[in-house]
Amino acid sequence: MPRDPSCVFCKIVAAEIPSSVVYEDQYVLSFIDIGPLADGHLLVIPRDHYTNLTDAPPEVVGRVGSVLPILSRACLSVTRAEGFNVLCNQGRVAGQAVGHVHFHIIPRKEGDGLGYRWNAGKYPPGRDAELAAAYQKAILGRP
Amino acid sequence: MPRDPSCVFCKIVAAEIPSSVVYEDQYVLSFIDIGPLADGHLLVIPRDHYTNLTDAPPEVVGRVGSVLPILSRACLSVTRAEGFNVLCNQGRVAGQAVGHVHFHIIPRKEGDGLGYRWNAGKYPPGRDAELAAAYQKAILGRP
């Protein structure tokens, strides 16, 4: 099982640092974020250490994904929030503060001042198709 | 296969509305968001229609989770971004605009003005343990 002895989330998995655990199974741990954006803010992590989502095996992120419904239902039930954001940040530029893959579940209520800064743009004609071709090439490794 | 004939993402899955597809398999479709927050912004959806993450079966969200690594690697490669945010919104209050479960992959670069509004708080003593107990009860259905 990949582990980084200097990683705070690995220490939480190993119970070397205490946390308020809300859910655990063989692959996934969920606990209360101690720096909450809202009351009841959860973290969901794979037990195994991967610094980045891009490093993690598909099945590891799949296991995390598969527990999001039950955890987000619990989030609405416990916090009586009207909705929530699920968020995973990779890279300092994106707000990643701990180098162990983690998903936030952030309960949302009207007027809470949270949320993603949403300034949607528009592509010039052809740019979306051009991007799709570049993505297909990157994903399939096709020339 | 659950489908909502009035859902724009179901129409994209059925190719009744064109989209710039970057990835597809039996369960998941990924395409270019036409209202991008950044060049190369992706959407990742289950082919099946579920309005909310809380309604979706674990295995459906698991399938979506399992493709996030390959899609996010492609995102960094195509956009040369330094990082990204993966985001799933549930509820109007949380910014959900289409009632079909979807995950955003938003490429991030220094000074892009994007990101989640991050005003972390702190719990009063005992509140995190109290929340964890409430979550455990909600998840396990224990009295």
Side-chain angles (χ1 to χ4, degrees), chain A residues 72-127:
Chain A
S72 55
R73 281 197 301 272
C75 175
L76 293 184
S77 149
V78 166
T79 65
R80 301 179 190 270
E82 297 149 38
F84 56 84
N85 300 119
V86 174
L87 181 66
C88 173
N89 303 326
Q90 177 163 330
R92 280 186 95 97
V93 72
Q96 186 180 15
V98 176
H100 181 129
V101 172
H102 56 286
F103 285 70
H104 301 265
I105 302 179
I106 305 162
R108 297 295 310 279
K109 294 181 180 174
E110 205 60 54
D112 60 15
L114 298 171
Y116 203 89
R117 294 176 194 93
W118 211 271
N119 303 300
K122 211 169 160 25
Y123 286 116
R127 179 61 185 154

CSV table of all heavy atoms in Angstrom, one decimal, chain A residues 72-127:
chain,number,residue,atom,x,y,z
A,72,SER,N,-22.5,12.3,0.1
A,72,SER,CA,-23.2,13.6,-0.2
A,72,SER,C,-24.7,13.6,0.3
A,72,SER,O,-25.2,14.6,0.8
A,72,SER,CB,-23.1,13.9,-1.6
A,72,SER,OG,-23.6,12.9,-2.5
A,73,ARG,N,-25.3,12.4,0.3
A,73,ARG,CA,-26.6,12.3,0.9
A,73,ARG,C,-26.5,12.5,2.4
A,73,ARG,O,-27.4,13.3,3.0
A,73,ARG,CB,-27.2,10.9,0.7
A,73,ARG,CG,-27.8,10.6,-0.7
A,73,ARG,CD,-28.7,9.4,-0.7
A,73,ARG,NE,-28.0,8.2,-0.4
A,73,ARG,CZ,-27.4,7.4,-1.2
A,73,ARG,NH1,-27.3,7.7,-2.5
A,73,ARG,NH2,-26.8,6.3,-0.8
A,74,ALA,N,-25.5,12.0,3.0
A,74,ALA,CA,-25.3,12.2,4.5
A,74,ALA,C,-25.1,13.7,4.7
A,74,ALA,O,-25.6,14.3,5.7
A,74,ALA,CB,-24.2,11.4,5.0
A,75,CYS,N,-24.3,14.3,3.8
A,75,CYS,CA,-24.0,15.7,4.0
A,75,CYS,C,-25.3,16.6,4.0
A,75,CYS,O,-25.5,17.4,4.9
A,75,CYS,CB,-23.1,16.2,2.9
A,75,CYS,SG,-22.7,17.9,2.8
A,76,LEU,N,-26.2,16.3,3.0
A,76,LEU,CA,-27.4,17.1,3.0
A,76,LEU,C,-28.3,16.8,4.3
A,76,LEU,O,-28.9,17.7,4.8
A,76,LEU,CB,-28.3,16.7,1.8
A,76,LEU,CG,-27.6,17.1,0.4
A,76,LEU,CD1,-28.6,16.8,-0.7
A,76,LEU,CD2,-27.3,18.6,0.4
A,77,SER,N,-28.3,15.6,4.7
A,77,SER,CA,-29.1,15.2,5.8
A,77,SER,C,-28.6,15.8,7.1
A,77,SER,O,-29.3,16.3,7.9
A,77,SER,CB,-29.1,13.6,5.9
A,77,SER,OG,-29.2,13.2,7.2
A,78,VAL,N,-27.2,15.7,7.3
A,78,VAL,CA,-26.6,16.2,8.6
A,78,VAL,C,-26.7,17.8,8.6
A,78,VAL,O,-27.0,18.3,9.7
A,78,VAL,CB,-25.2,15.7,8.7
A,78,VAL,CG1,-24.4,16.5,9.8
A,78,VAL,CG2,-25.2,14.2,9.0
A,79,THR,N,-26.3,18.4,7.5
A,79,THR,CA,-26.2,19.9,7.5
A,79,THR,C,-27.4,20.6,7.2
A,79,THR,O,-27.5,21.8,7.3
A,79,THR,CB,-25.0,20.3,6.6
A,79,THR,OG1,-25.5,20.0,5.2
A,79,THR,CG2,-23.7,19.6,6.9
A,80,ARG,N,-28.4,19.9,6.6
A,80,ARG,CA,-29.6,20.5,6.1
A,80,ARG,C,-29.3,21.5,5.0
A,80,ARG,O,-30.0,22.5,4.8
A,80,ARG,CB,-30.5,21.1,7.2
A,80,ARG,CG,-30.9,20.1,8.2
A,80,ARG,CD,-31.8,20.7,9.3
A,80,ARG,NE,-31.9,19.7,10.4
A,80,ARG,CZ,-32.9,18.8,10.5
A,80,ARG,NH1,-33.9,18.8,9.6
A,80,ARG,NH2,-33.0,18.0,11.5
A,81,ALA,N,-28.2,21.3,4.3
A,81,ALA,CA,-27.8,22.2,3.2
A,81,ALA,C,-28.7,22.0,2.0
A,81,ALA,O,-29.4,20.9,1.9
A,81,ALA,CB,-26.3,21.9,2.8
A,82,GLU,N,-28.8,23.0,1.1
A,82,GLU,CA,-29.6,22.9,0.0
A,82,GLU,C,-28.9,22.3,-1.2
A,82,GLU,O,-29.5,21.9,-2.2
A,82,GLU,CB,-30.1,24.3,-0.4
A,82,GLU,CG,-31.0,25.0,0.7
A,82,GLU,CD,-30.8,26.5,0.7
A,82,GLU,OE1,-30.7,27.1,-0.4
A,82,GLU,OE2,-30.7,27.1,1.8
A,83,GLY,N,-27.6,22.2,-1.1
A,83,GLY,CA,-26.8,21.6,-2.2
A,83,GLY,C,-25.4,21.5,-1.7
A,83,GLY,O,-25.1,21.7,-0.5
A,84,PHE,N,-24.5,21.1,-2.6
A,84,PHE,CA,-23.1,21.0,-2.2
A,84,PHE,C,-22.2,21.1,-3.4
A,84,PHE,O,-22.7,20.9,-4.6
A,84,PHE,CB,-22.8,19.7,-1.4
A,84,PHE,CG,-23.3,18.5,-2.2
A,84,PHE,CD1,-22.4,17.9,-3.2
A,84,PHE,CD2,-24.5,17.9,-2.0
A,84,PHE,CE1,-22.9,16.8,-3.9
A,84,PHE,CE2,-25.0,16.9,-2.8
A,84,PHE,CZ,-24.1,16.3,-3.7
A,85,ASN,N,-20.9,21.3,-3.2
A,85,ASN,CA,-19.9,21.2,-4.2
A,85,ASN,C,-19.0,20.1,-3.9
A,85,ASN,O,-18.5,20.0,-2.7
A,85,ASN,CB,-19.1,22.5,-4.3
A,85,ASN,CG,-19.9,23.7,-4.7
A,85,ASN,OD1,-19.9,24.7,-3.9
A,85,ASN,ND2,-20.6,23.7,-5.8
A,86,VAL,N,-18.7,19.2,-4.8
A,86,VAL,CA,-17.6,18.3,-4.7
A,86,VAL,C,-16.4,18.8,-5.5
A,86,VAL,O,-16.6,19.3,-6.6
A,86,VAL,CB,-18.0,16.9,-5.3
A,86,VAL,CG1,-16.8,15.9,-5.3
A,86,VAL,CG2,-19.2,16.3,-4.6
A,87,LEU,N,-15.3,18.9,-4.8
A,87,LEU,CA,-14.1,19.6,-5.4
A,87,LEU,C,-12.8,18.8,-5.1
A,87,LEU,O,-12.6,18.4,-4.0
A,87,LEU,CB,-14.0,21.0,-4.7
A,87,LEU,CG,-12.9,21.9,-5.2
A,87,LEU,CD1,-13.1,22.3,-6.7
A,87,LEU,CD2,-12.9,23.1,-4.3
A,88,CYS,N,-12.1,18.6,-6.2
A,88,CYS,CA,-10.7,18.1,-6.1
A,88,CYS,C,-9.8,19.0,-6.8
A,88,CYS,O,-9.9,19.3,-8.0
A,88,CYS,CB,-10.7,16.7,-6.7
A,88,CYS,SG,-9.1,15.9,-6.8
A,89,ASN,N,-8.8,19.5,-6.0
A,89,ASN,CA,-7.8,20.4,-6.6
A,89,ASN,C,-6.5,19.7,-6.8
A,89,ASN,O,-6.0,19.0,-6.0
A,89,ASN,CB,-7.6,21.6,-5.6
A,89,ASN,CG,-8.8,22.3,-5.2
A,89,ASN,OD1,-9.8,22.4,-6.0
A,89,ASN,ND2,-8.9,22.7,-3.9
A,90,GLN,N,-5.9,20.0,-8.0
A,90,GLN,CA,-4.5,19.5,-8.2
A,90,GLN,C,-3.6,20.7,-8.6
A,90,GLN,O,-3.9,21.4,-9.5
A,90,GLN,CB,-4.5,18.5,-9.4
A,90,GLN,CG,-3.0,18.0,-9.6
A,90,GLN,CD,-2.9,16.8,-10.4
A,90,GLN,OE1,-3.8,15.9,-10.3
A,90,GLN,NE2,-1.8,16.6,-11.2
A,91,GLY,N,-2.5,20.8,-7.8
A,91,GLY,CA,-1.6,21.8,-8.1
A,91,GLY,C,-1.8,23.0,-7.1
A,91,GLY,O,-2.9,23.3,-6.8
A,92,ARG,N,-0.7,23.7,-6.7
A,92,ARG,CA,-0.8,24.9,-5.9
A,92,ARG,C,-1.7,25.9,-6.5
A,92,ARG,O,-2.5,26.6,-5.9
A,92,ARG,CB,0.6,25.5,-5.7
A,92,ARG,CG,1.4,24.8,-4.6
A,92,ARG,CD,2.7,25.6,-4.4
A,92,ARG,NE,2.6,26.4,-3.3
A,92,ARG,CZ,3.0,26.2,-2.1
A,92,ARG,NH1,3.6,25.0,-1.8
A,92,ARG,NH2,2.8,27.0,-1.1
A,93,VAL,N,-1.6,26.1,-7.8
A,93,VAL,CA,-2.3,27.1,-8.6
A,93,VAL,C,-3.8,26.8,-8.5
A,93,VAL,O,-4.6,27.8,-8.6
A,93,VAL,CB,-1.8,27.1,-10.1
A,93,VAL,CG1,-2.3,25.9,-10.8
A,93,VAL,CG2,-2.3,28.4,-10.8
A,94,ALA,N,-4.2,25.6,-8.2
A,94,ALA,CA,-5.6,25.2,-8.2
A,94,ALA,C,-6.1,25.1,-6.7
A,94,ALA,O,-7.2,24.8,-6.5
A,94,ALA,CB,-5.8,23.9,-8.9
A,95,GLY,N,-5.2,25.4,-5.8
A,95,GLY,CA,-5.6,25.4,-4.4
A,95,GLY,C,-5.3,24.1,-3.6
A,95,GLY,O,-5.8,24.0,-2.5
A,96,GLN,N,-4.6,23.2,-4.2
A,96,GLN,CA,-4.2,22.0,-3.5
A,96,GLN,C,-3.3,22.3,-2.4
A,96,GLN,O,-2.2,22.8,-2.6
A,96,GLN,CB,-3.6,20.9,-4.5
A,96,GLN,CG,-3.4,19.6,-3.8
A,96,GLN,CD,-2.8,18.5,-4.7
A,96,GLN,OE1,-2.3,18.8,-5.8
A,96,GLN,NE2,-2.8,17.3,-4.3
A,97,ALA,N,-3.7,21.9,-1.2
A,97,ALA,CA,-2.8,22.3,0.0
A,97,ALA,C,-2.2,21.1,0.6
A,97,ALA,O,-1.2,21.2,1.3
A,97,ALA,CB,-3.7,23.0,1.1
A,98,VAL,N,-2.7,19.9,0.4
A,98,VAL,CA,-2.1,18.6,0.9
A,98,VAL,C,-1.8,17.7,-0.3
A,98,VAL,O,-2.7,17.5,-1.2
A,98,VAL,CB,-3.0,17.9,1.9
A,98,VAL,CG1,-2.4,16.6,2.3
A,98,VAL,CG2,-3.2,18.8,3.1
A,99,GLY,N,-0.6,17.2,-0.4
A,99,GLY,CA,-0.2,16.4,-1.5
A,99,GLY,C,-0.6,14.9,-1.4
A,99,GLY,O,0.2,14.0,-1.4
A,100,HIS,N,-1.9,14.7,-1.2
A,100,HIS,CA,-2.5,13.3,-1.1
A,100,HIS,C,-3.9,13.6,-1.7
A,100,HIS,O,-4.7,14.4,-1.2
A,100,HIS,CB,-2.5,12.9,0.3
A,100,HIS,CG,-3.1,11.5,0.5
A,100,HIS,ND1,-2.5,10.5,1.3
A,100,HIS,CD2,-4.3,10.9,0.1
A,100,HIS,CE1,-3.2,9.4,1.3
A,100,HIS,NE2,-4.3,9.6,0.6
A,101,VAL,N,-4.2,12.9,-2.8
A,101,VAL,CA,-5.5,13.1,-3.5
A,101,VAL,C,-6.6,13.2,-2.5
A,101,VAL,O,-6.8,12.3,-1.7
A,101,VAL,CB,-5.8,11.9,-4.5
A,101,VAL,CG1,-7.2,12.0,-5.0
A,101,VAL,CG2,-4.7,11.8,-5.6
A,102,HIS,N,-7.4,14.2,-2.6
A,102,HIS,CA,-8.6,14.4,-1.7
A,102,HIS,C,-9.7,15.1,-2.4
A,102,HIS,O,-9.5,16.0,-3.2
A,102,HIS,CB,-8.2,15.0,-0.4
A,102,HIS,CG,-7.6,16.4,-0.5
A,102,HIS,ND1,-6.3,16.5,-0.9
A,102,HIS,CD2,-8.0,17.6,-0.3
A,102,HIS,CE1,-6.0,17.8,-0.9
A,102,HIS,NE2,-7.0,18.5,-0.5
A,103,PHE,N,-10.9,14.7,-2.1
A,103,PHE,CA,-12.1,15.4,-2.6
A,103,PHE,C,-12.8,16.0,-1.4
A,103,PHE,O,-12.9,15.4,-0.4
A,103,PHE,CB,-13.1,14.3,-3.2
A,103,PHE,CG,-12.7,13.9,-4.6
A,103,PHE,CD1,-11.6,13.0,-4.8
A,103,PHE,CD2,-13.4,14.3,-5.7
A,103,PHE,CE1,-11.2,12.6,-6.0
A,103,PHE,CE2,-13.0,13.8,-7.0
A,103,PHE,CZ,-11.9,13.0,-7.2
A,104,HIS,N,-13.2,17.3,-1.6
A,104,HIS,CA,-14.0,18.0,-0.6
A,104,HIS,C,-15.5,17.8,-1.0
A,104,HIS,O,-15.9,17.8,-2.1
A,104,HIS,CB,-13.7,19.5,-0.7
A,104,HIS,CG,-12.3,19.9,-0.5
A,104,HIS,ND1,-11.8,20.3,0.7
A,104,HIS,CD2,-11.2,20.0,-1.3
A,104,HIS,CE1,-10.5,20.6,0.6
A,104,HIS,NE2,-10.1,20.4,-0.6
A,105,ILE,N,-16.3,17.7,0.1
A,105,ILE,CA,-17.7,17.9,-0.1
A,105,ILE,C,-18.1,19.0,0.8
A,105,ILE,O,-18.0,19.0,2.0
A,105,ILE,CB,-18.5,16.6,0.3
A,105,ILE,CG1,-18.1,15.4,-0.5
A,105,ILE,CG2,-20.0,16.8,0.1
A,105,ILE,CD1,-18.8,14.1,-0.1
A,106,ILE,N,-18.5,20.1,0.1
A,106,ILE,CA,-18.8,21.4,0.8
A,106,ILE,C,-20.3,21.7,0.7
A,106,ILE,O,-20.8,22.0,-0.3
A,106,ILE,CB,-18.0,22.5,0.1
A,106,ILE,CG1,-16.5,22.2,0.0
A,106,ILE,CG2,-18.2,23.9,0.8
A,106,ILE,CD1,-15.7,23.0,-1.0
A,107,PRO,N,-20.9,21.7,1.9
A,107,PRO,CA,-22.4,22.0,1.9
A,107,PRO,C,-22.6,23.4,1.6
A,107,PRO,O,-21.8,24.3,1.9
A,107,PRO,CB,-22.7,21.7,3.4
A,107,PRO,CG,-21.5,21.3,4.1
A,107,PRO,CD,-20.3,21.4,3.2
A,108,ARG,N,-23.7,23.6,0.8
A,108,ARG,CA,-24.0,25.0,0.4
A,108,ARG,C,-25.4,25.5,0.8
A,108,ARG,O,-26.3,24.7,0.7
A,108,ARG,CB,-23.9,25.0,-1.2
A,108,ARG,CG,-22.5,24.8,-1.7
A,108,ARG,CD,-21.5,25.8,-1.3
A,108,ARG,NE,-22.0,27.1,-1.6
A,108,ARG,CZ,-21.9,27.7,-2.8
A,108,ARG,NH1,-21.4,27.1,-3.8
A,108,ARG,NH2,-22.4,28.9,-3.0
A,109,LYS,N,-25.4,26.7,1.2
A,109,LYS,CA,-26.7,27.3,1.6
A,109,LYS,C,-26.7,28.7,0.9
A,109,LYS,O,-25.7,29.3,0.7
A,109,LYS,CB,-26.8,27.5,3.1
A,109,LYS,CG,-26.9,26.1,3.8
A,109,LYS,CD,-27.1,26.2,5.3
A,109,LYS,CE,-27.2,24.7,5.9
A,109,LYS,NZ,-27.2,24.7,7.3
A,110,GLU,N,-27.9,29.2,0.7
A,110,GLU,CA,-28.1,30.5,0.1
A,110,GLU,C,-27.4,31.6,0.8
A,110,GLU,O,-27.4,31.6,2.1
A,110,GLU,CB,-29.6,30.8,0.1
A,110,GLU,CG,-30.1,31.7,-1.0
A,110,GLU,CD,-29.8,31.3,-2.4
A,110,GLU,OE1,-30.2,30.1,-2.8
A,110,GLU,OE2,-29.1,32.0,-3.2
A,111,GLY,N,-26.6,32.4,0.1
A,111,GLY,CA,-26.0,33.5,0.7
A,111,GLY,C,-24.7,33.2,1.5
A,111,GLY,O,-24.2,34.0,2.3
A,112,ASP,N,-24.2,32.0,1.3
A,112,ASP,CA,-23.0,31.6,2.1
A,112,ASP,C,-21.7,32.2,1.6
A,112,ASP,O,-20.7,32.1,2.3
A,112,ASP,CB,-22.9,30.1,2.2
A,112,ASP,CG,-22.7,29.4,0.9
A,112,ASP,OD1,-22.4,30.1,-0.1
A,112,ASP,OD2,-22.9,28.1,0.8
A,113,GLY,N,-21.7,32.8,0.4
A,113,GLY,CA,-20.5,33.5,-0.1
A,113,GLY,C,-19.5,32.5,-0.6
A,113,GLY,O,-18.4,33.0,-0.9
A,114,LEU,N,-19.8,31.3,-0.7
A,114,LEU,CA,-18.9,30.3,-1.2
A,114,LEU,C,-19.1,30.1,-2.7
A,114,LEU,O,-19.7,30.9,-3.4
A,114,LEU,CB,-19.0,29.0,-0.5
A,114,LEU,CG,-18.8,29.0,1.0
A,114,LEU,CD1,-19.2,27.7,1.7
A,114,LEU,CD2,-17.3,29.3,1.3
A,115,GLY,N,-18.5,29.0,-3.2
A,115,GLY,CA,-18.7,28.7,-4.6
A,115,GLY,C,-17.5,29.0,-5.5
A,115,GLY,O,-16.6,29.7,-5.1
A,116,TYR,N,-17.6,28.5,-6.7
A,116,TYR,CA,-16.5,28.6,-7.7
A,116,TYR,C,-16.8,30.0,-8.5
A,116,TYR,O,-17.9,30.3,-8.8
A,116,TYR,CB,-16.6,27.5,-8.7
A,116,TYR,CG,-15.3,27.2,-9.4
A,116,TYR,CD1,-14.3,26.4,-8.8
A,116,TYR,CD2,-15.0,27.8,-10.6
A,116,TYR,CE1,-13.1,26.2,-9.4
A,116,TYR,CE2,-13.8,27.6,-11.2
A,116,TYR,CZ,-12.8,26.8,-10.6
A,116,TYR,OH,-11.6,26.6,-11.3
A,117,ARG,N,-15.7,30.7,-8.7
A,117,ARG,CA,-15.8,31.9,-9.5
A,117,ARG,C,-16.1,31.6,-11.0
A,117,ARG,O,-15.3,30.9,-11.6
A,117,ARG,CB,-14.5,32.7,-9.4
A,117,ARG,CG,-14.2,33.2,-8.0
A,117,ARG,CD,-12.9,33.9,-7.9
A,117,ARG,NE,-12.5,34.1,-6.6
A,117,ARG,CZ,-11.7,33.3,-5.9
A,117,ARG,NH1,-11.2,32.2,-6.4
A,117,ARG,NH2,-11.5,33.5,-4.6
A,118,TRP,N,-17.3,31.9,-11.4
A,118,TRP,CA,-17.9,31.4,-12.6
A,118,TRP,C,-18.0,32.5,-13.7
A,118,TRP,O,-19.0,33.2,-13.7
A,118,TRP,CB,-19.3,30.8,-12.3
A,118,TRP,CG,-19.5,29.6,-13.3
A,118,TRP,CD1,-20.1,29.7,-14.5
A,118,TRP,CD2,-19.2,28.3,-13.1
A,118,TRP,NE1,-20.1,28.5,-15.1
A,118,TRP,CE2,-19.6,27.6,-14.2
A,118,TRP,CE3,-18.6,27.6,-12.1
A,118,TRP,CZ2,-19.4,26.2,-14.4
A,118,TRP,CZ3,-18.4,26.2,-12.2
A,118,TRP,CH2,-18.8,25.5,-13.4
A,119,ASN,N,-17.0,32.6,-14.5
A,119,ASN,CA,-17.1,33.6,-15.6
A,119,ASN,C,-16.9,32.9,-16.9
A,119,ASN,O,-15.9,32.8,-17.5
A,119,ASN,CB,-15.9,34.6,-15.4
A,119,ASN,CG,-15.9,35.3,-14.1
A,119,ASN,OD1,-16.9,35.9,-13.7
A,119,ASN,ND2,-14.9,35.1,-13.3
A,120,ALA,N,-18.1,32.3,-17.3
A,120,ALA,CA,-18.0,31.5,-18.5
A,120,ALA,C,-17.7,32.3,-19.8
A,120,ALA,O,-18.3,33.4,-20.0
A,120,ALA,CB,-19.3,30.7,-18.7
A,121,GLY,N,-16.9,31.7,-20.6
A,121,GLY,CA,-16.6,32.4,-21.9
A,121,GLY,C,-17.2,31.6,-23.0
A,121,GLY,O,-18.2,30.9,-22.8
A,122,LYS,N,-16.7,31.9,-24.2
A,122,LYS,CA,-17.3,31.3,-25.4
A,122,LYS,C,-16.1,31.0,-26.3
A,122,LYS,O,-15.2,31.8,-26.4
A,122,LYS,CB,-18.2,32.3,-26.0
A,122,LYS,CG,-19.4,31.7,-26.8
A,122,LYS,CD,-20.4,32.9,-27.1
A,122,LYS,CE,-21.4,32.6,-28.2
A,122,LYS,NZ,-21.9,31.6,-28.7
A,123,TYR,N,-16.1,29.9,-27.1
A,123,TYR,CA,-15.0,29.6,-28.0
A,123,TYR,C,-15.3,30.3,-29.3
A,123,TYR,O,-16.4,30.4,-29.8
A,123,TYR,CB,-14.9,28.1,-28.2
A,123,TYR,CG,-14.3,27.4,-27.1
A,123,TYR,CD1,-15.1,26.4,-26.4
A,123,TYR,CD2,-13.0,27.6,-26.7
A,123,TYR,CE1,-14.6,25.7,-25.3
A,123,TYR,CE2,-12.5,26.9,-25.6
A,123,TYR,CZ,-13.3,26.0,-24.9
A,123,TYR,OH,-12.7,25.3,-23.9
A,124,PRO,N,-14.2,30.8,-30.0
A,124,PRO,CA,-14.3,31.2,-31.4
A,124,PRO,C,-14.6,30.0,-32.2
A,124,PRO,O,-14.3,28.9,-31.8
A,124,PRO,CB,-12.9,31.8,-31.7
A,124,PRO,CG,-12.0,31.2,-30.7
A,124,PRO,CD,-12.8,30.9,-29.4
A,125,PRO,N,-15.3,30.2,-33.4
A,125,PRO,CA,-15.7,29.1,-34.2
A,125,PRO,C,-14.5,28.1,-34.5
A,125,PRO,O,-13.4,28.6,-34.8
A,125,PRO,CB,-16.2,29.7,-35.5
A,125,PRO,CG,-16.6,31.1,-35.1
A,125,PRO,CD,-15.6,31.5,-34.0
A,126,GLY,N,-14.7,26.8,-34.2
A,126,GLY,CA,-13.7,25.8,-34.5
A,126,GLY,C,-12.8,25.4,-33.4
A,126,GLY,O,-12.2,24.4,-33.4
A,127,ARG,N,-12.7,26.3,-32.4
A,127,ARG,CA,-11.8,26.1,-31.3
A,127,ARG,C,-12.2,24.8,-30.5
A,127,ARG,O,-11.3,24.1,-30.0
A,127,ARG,CB,-11.7,27.3,-30.4
A,127,ARG,CG,-10.7,27.1,-29.2
A,127,ARG,CD,-9.3,26.8,-29.6
A,127,ARG,NE,-8.4,26.6,-28.4
A,127,ARG,CZ,-7.3,25.8,-28.5
A,127,ARG,NH1,-6.9,25.3,-29.6
A,127,ARG,NH2,-6.6,25.6,-27.4
